Amino acid sequence: MTRESSASPLIYGGGAQSPRAALPVLPPLALYIHIPWCVRKCPYCDFNSHTASPMLPEEEYVDALLADLDQDLHAVYGRKLSSIFFGGGTPSLFSAEALGRLLKGVEQRIPFASDIEITLEANPGTFEQEKFVAYRALGINRLSIGIQSFQEEKLKALGRIHNGDEAVRAAGMARQAGFDNFNLDLMHGLPDQSLDDALSDLRQAIALKPTHLSWYQLTLEPNTVFWNQPPVLPEDDTLWDIQEAGQALLAEHGYAQYEVSAYAQPGRPARHNLNYWSFGDFIGIGAGAHGKLSHPDGRIVRTWKTRLPKDYLNPAKSFKAGEKALTNDELPFDFLMNALRLTDGVESRLYPERTGLSLESLAEGRREAEQSGLLQVEPSRLAATERGQLFLNDLLQTFLS
């Protein structure tokens, strides 16, 4: 049944808008869990992370996470969890006991799919072999390790607490702990980085044989130390050379690019992130966590939670900081902002299925984007051209009302 079927009740978001069909079939459901503490805040980081005290409030925070989840259970609608992602901060600062109690509490509330993907972010400086064996025993089956670089001077410039040798050992320890599926996070375009420097880092990462690589350019974000005290970054020509040579190197070693900065071995893309980019649903719990939830009546709501850990842990304050129901005018941009990051885009049918809007509502922007050479002329898919990937902001502008 298509979402624009006349048999479906129609939703109006206010104002002069096209009717939107209700959603008789809801998207897959995932869970994002934010653990906001780090050993030290990195100067480039604009995530909601906070320097950890010597004693983390693990027990109190797990209690809060489960109470937070309880308030979102109304939006589950009988679905199972397809994936869980522990993000941060540095989730690997938490003990296996705390994460075990949390996972048990989550599963008591929402059933897990039989093939659920459960990812934990970790930094090399927090790797302990015994701890990671215990994580694997809990059912956590994927790691995402924040390497960023293997070179001492680059790590120092980035404010990282690990060194290159620890980064190399972390990958080996992950495999020894039973993780046959893990990602390495690697940056390029670092302060004073040359093409040779960048490719050296990438070759070292490939040699460790991760199943997935997140390889992305350092950007200077507001409200960071680097924003206020900018380092000297490579020239644009060098950045372009790094991008081209790096992508060729990754392809040569069997890492297919499936998203702007994501590369995976066959069959190993990050399922949790694919759910984001294909406009699936996700509950977000934890300090500052965001969520996106669809309802059978057609409402699609983005939520965000109280940002500061001390406020999140304060019983007198609400977990939820705010929520917004997406209007018909906002949905095209919101959907495409995610879907067009994927190198192959998404099947066109996903647009009406996950927004309740007809494909015809995209027709004008689609024609303009195709004529500009930014969108592939492919009726069955919504996918950017190579040029569109390079100028994604320009492509998205064509779909703004």
Side-chain angles (χ1 to χ4, degrees), residues 161-186:
I161 63 170
H162 67 273
N163 60 41
D165 288 342
E166 287 176 316
V168 171
R169 285 199 300 271
M173 290 170 64
R175 192 171 279 109
Q176 290 168 21
F179 290 95
D180 62 356
N181 189 15
F182 66 93
N183 168 66
L184 297 183
D185 242 32
L186 200 66

Short mmCIF file of all heavy atoms in Angstrom, two decimals, residues 161-186:
data_model
loop_
_atom_site.label_atom_id
_atom_site.label_comp_id
_atom_site.label_asym_id
_atom_site.label_seq_id
_atom_site.Cartn_x
_atom_site.Cartn_y
_atom_site.Cartn_z
N ILE A 161 44.69 11.80 23.72
CA ILE A 161 45.42 11.29 24.89
C ILE A 161 46.18 10.02 24.58
O ILE A 161 46.94 9.52 25.41
CB ILE A 161 44.47 11.04 26.08
CG1 ILE A 161 43.44 9.95 25.73
CG2 ILE A 161 43.78 12.33 26.50
CD1 ILE A 161 42.63 9.48 26.92
N HIS A 162 46.01 9.44 23.36
CA HIS A 162 46.72 8.21 23.02
C HIS A 162 47.87 8.52 22.07
O HIS A 162 47.96 9.62 21.52
CB HIS A 162 45.77 7.20 22.39
CG HIS A 162 45.24 7.61 21.04
ND1 HIS A 162 44.11 8.39 20.89
CD2 HIS A 162 45.68 7.36 19.78
CE1 HIS A 162 43.89 8.60 19.62
NE2 HIS A 162 44.83 7.98 18.91
N ASN A 163 48.74 7.54 21.89
CA ASN A 163 49.80 7.69 20.90
C ASN A 163 49.58 6.69 19.76
O ASN A 163 48.65 5.88 19.79
CB ASN A 163 51.19 7.52 21.54
CG ASN A 163 51.37 6.17 22.20
OD1 ASN A 163 50.97 5.13 21.67
ND2 ASN A 163 52.01 6.15 23.37
N GLY A 164 50.45 6.75 18.75
CA GLY A 164 50.28 5.91 17.58
C GLY A 164 50.35 4.43 17.88
O GLY A 164 49.59 3.63 17.31
N ASP A 165 51.28 4.04 18.77
CA ASP A 165 51.40 2.62 19.11
C ASP A 165 50.13 2.10 19.79
O ASP A 165 49.69 0.98 19.53
CB ASP A 165 52.60 2.40 20.04
CG ASP A 165 53.93 2.57 19.31
OD1 ASP A 165 53.93 2.50 18.06
OD2 ASP A 165 54.96 2.77 19.99
N GLU A 166 49.55 2.92 20.68
CA GLU A 166 48.30 2.52 21.34
C GLU A 166 47.18 2.36 20.32
O GLU A 166 46.33 1.47 20.45
CB GLU A 166 47.92 3.55 22.39
CG GLU A 166 48.78 3.51 23.64
CD GLU A 166 48.42 4.63 24.61
OE1 GLU A 166 48.22 5.78 24.17
OE2 GLU A 166 48.34 4.34 25.83
N ALA A 167 47.18 3.22 19.31
CA ALA A 167 46.15 3.12 18.28
C ALA A 167 46.27 1.80 17.53
O ALA A 167 45.26 1.13 17.25
CB ALA A 167 46.29 4.30 17.32
N VAL A 168 47.48 1.42 17.18
CA VAL A 168 47.70 0.15 16.48
C VAL A 168 47.29 -1.03 17.37
O VAL A 168 46.60 -1.96 16.93
CB VAL A 168 49.17 0.02 16.05
CG1 VAL A 168 49.45 -1.39 15.52
CG2 VAL A 168 49.51 1.06 14.99
N ARG A 169 47.69 -0.98 18.64
CA ARG A 169 47.36 -2.08 19.56
C ARG A 169 45.86 -2.21 19.79
O ARG A 169 45.34 -3.31 19.96
CB ARG A 169 48.07 -1.88 20.91
CG ARG A 169 49.57 -2.18 20.87
CD ARG A 169 50.11 -2.42 22.27
NE ARG A 169 49.92 -1.25 23.13
CZ ARG A 169 50.78 -0.26 23.25
NH1 ARG A 169 51.90 -0.26 22.53
NH2 ARG A 169 50.55 0.76 24.06
N ALA A 170 45.16 -1.07 19.77
CA ALA A 170 43.72 -1.10 20.04
C ALA A 170 42.99 -1.97 19.03
O ALA A 170 42.08 -2.73 19.38
CB ALA A 170 43.16 0.32 20.02
N ALA A 171 43.38 -1.85 17.76
CA ALA A 171 42.71 -2.66 16.73
C ALA A 171 42.97 -4.15 16.97
O ALA A 171 42.04 -4.97 16.85
CB ALA A 171 43.20 -2.24 15.35
N GLY A 172 44.20 -4.50 17.31
CA GLY A 172 44.51 -5.90 17.60
C GLY A 172 43.78 -6.41 18.81
O GLY A 172 43.27 -7.55 18.82
N MET A 173 43.66 -5.58 19.83
CA MET A 173 42.95 -5.98 21.04
C MET A 173 41.46 -6.16 20.77
O MET A 173 40.82 -7.04 21.34
CB MET A 173 43.18 -4.95 22.13
CG MET A 173 44.61 -4.94 22.69
SD MET A 173 44.93 -3.51 23.77
CE MET A 173 43.80 -3.83 25.11
N ALA A 174 40.91 -5.33 19.88
CA ALA A 174 39.50 -5.48 19.54
C ALA A 174 39.25 -6.84 18.92
O ALA A 174 38.31 -7.56 19.28
CB ALA A 174 39.08 -4.37 18.57
N ARG A 175 40.12 -7.21 17.99
CA ARG A 175 39.98 -8.51 17.33
C ARG A 175 40.16 -9.65 18.33
O ARG A 175 39.42 -10.64 18.33
CB ARG A 175 40.98 -8.60 16.18
CG ARG A 175 40.71 -9.78 15.26
CD ARG A 175 41.56 -9.71 14.01
NE ARG A 175 41.01 -8.80 13.01
CZ ARG A 175 41.53 -7.62 12.68
NH1 ARG A 175 42.62 -7.19 13.29
NH2 ARG A 175 40.98 -6.87 11.76
N GLN A 176 41.15 -9.53 19.20
CA GLN A 176 41.40 -10.57 20.20
C GLN A 176 40.24 -10.70 21.18
O GLN A 176 39.98 -11.78 21.72
CB GLN A 176 42.69 -10.27 20.96
CG GLN A 176 43.96 -10.43 20.13
CD GLN A 176 45.18 -9.84 20.82
OE1 GLN A 176 45.18 -9.66 22.04
NE2 GLN A 176 46.20 -9.51 20.05
N ALA A 177 39.54 -9.60 21.41
CA ALA A 177 38.39 -9.63 22.33
C ALA A 177 37.15 -10.24 21.69
O ALA A 177 36.13 -10.40 22.35
CB ALA A 177 38.08 -8.22 22.83
N GLY A 178 37.24 -10.57 20.39
CA GLY A 178 36.12 -11.23 19.73
C GLY A 178 35.33 -10.35 18.78
O GLY A 178 34.28 -10.77 18.27
N PHE A 179 35.81 -9.13 18.54
CA PHE A 179 35.10 -8.23 17.63
C PHE A 179 35.61 -8.44 16.21
O PHE A 179 36.72 -8.03 15.87
CB PHE A 179 35.30 -6.77 18.05
CG PHE A 179 34.59 -6.41 19.33
CD1 PHE A 179 35.25 -6.47 20.55
CD2 PHE A 179 33.25 -6.04 19.31
CE1 PHE A 179 34.60 -6.15 21.73
CE2 PHE A 179 32.59 -5.72 20.48
CZ PHE A 179 33.27 -5.78 21.70
N ASP A 180 34.79 -9.09 15.39
CA ASP A 180 35.17 -9.28 13.99
C ASP A 180 34.58 -8.18 13.11
O ASP A 180 34.68 -8.23 11.88
CB ASP A 180 34.74 -10.66 13.48
CG ASP A 180 33.23 -10.86 13.52
OD1 ASP A 180 32.52 -9.96 14.02
OD2 ASP A 180 32.76 -11.92 13.07
N ASN A 181 33.94 -7.22 13.72
CA ASN A 181 33.33 -6.10 13.01
C ASN A 181 33.67 -4.83 13.78
O ASN A 181 33.18 -4.61 14.88
CB ASN A 181 31.81 -6.29 12.93
CG ASN A 181 31.14 -5.28 12.01
OD1 ASN A 181 31.80 -4.60 11.22
ND2 ASN A 181 29.83 -5.17 12.12
N PHE A 182 34.57 -4.01 13.21
CA PHE A 182 34.90 -2.76 13.90
C PHE A 182 35.28 -1.67 12.91
O PHE A 182 35.75 -1.93 11.80
CB PHE A 182 36.00 -2.96 14.96
CG PHE A 182 37.36 -3.34 14.41
CD1 PHE A 182 38.31 -2.37 14.12
CD2 PHE A 182 37.70 -4.68 14.21
CE1 PHE A 182 39.56 -2.72 13.65
CE2 PHE A 182 38.94 -5.03 13.73
CZ PHE A 182 39.88 -4.05 13.45
N ASN A 183 35.02 -0.45 13.34
CA ASN A 183 35.31 0.75 12.55
C ASN A 183 36.50 1.48 13.15
O ASN A 183 36.70 1.50 14.36
CB ASN A 183 34.08 1.67 12.59
CG ASN A 183 34.39 3.06 12.03
OD1 ASN A 183 34.68 3.22 10.85
ND2 ASN A 183 34.35 4.06 12.90
N LEU A 184 37.29 2.08 12.27
CA LEU A 184 38.32 3.03 12.70
C LEU A 184 37.93 4.41 12.21
O LEU A 184 37.60 4.59 11.03
CB LEU A 184 39.70 2.64 12.14
CG LEU A 184 40.28 1.30 12.58
CD1 LEU A 184 41.68 1.12 11.99
CD2 LEU A 184 40.34 1.18 14.10
N ASP A 185 37.95 5.37 13.12
CA ASP A 185 37.69 6.77 12.80
C ASP A 185 39.02 7.44 12.48
O ASP A 185 39.94 7.42 13.31
CB ASP A 185 37.09 7.46 14.03
CG ASP A 185 35.70 7.97 13.77
OD1 ASP A 185 34.97 7.36 12.98
OD2 ASP A 185 35.34 9.01 14.35
N LEU A 186 39.13 8.05 11.32
CA LEU A 186 40.39 8.67 10.90
C LEU A 186 40.08 10.02 10.26
O LEU A 186 39.16 10.13 9.45
CB LEU A 186 41.08 7.76 9.89
CG LEU A 186 42.58 7.95 9.66
CD1 LEU A 186 43.37 7.59 10.91
CD2 LEU A 186 43.05 7.09 8.48
#
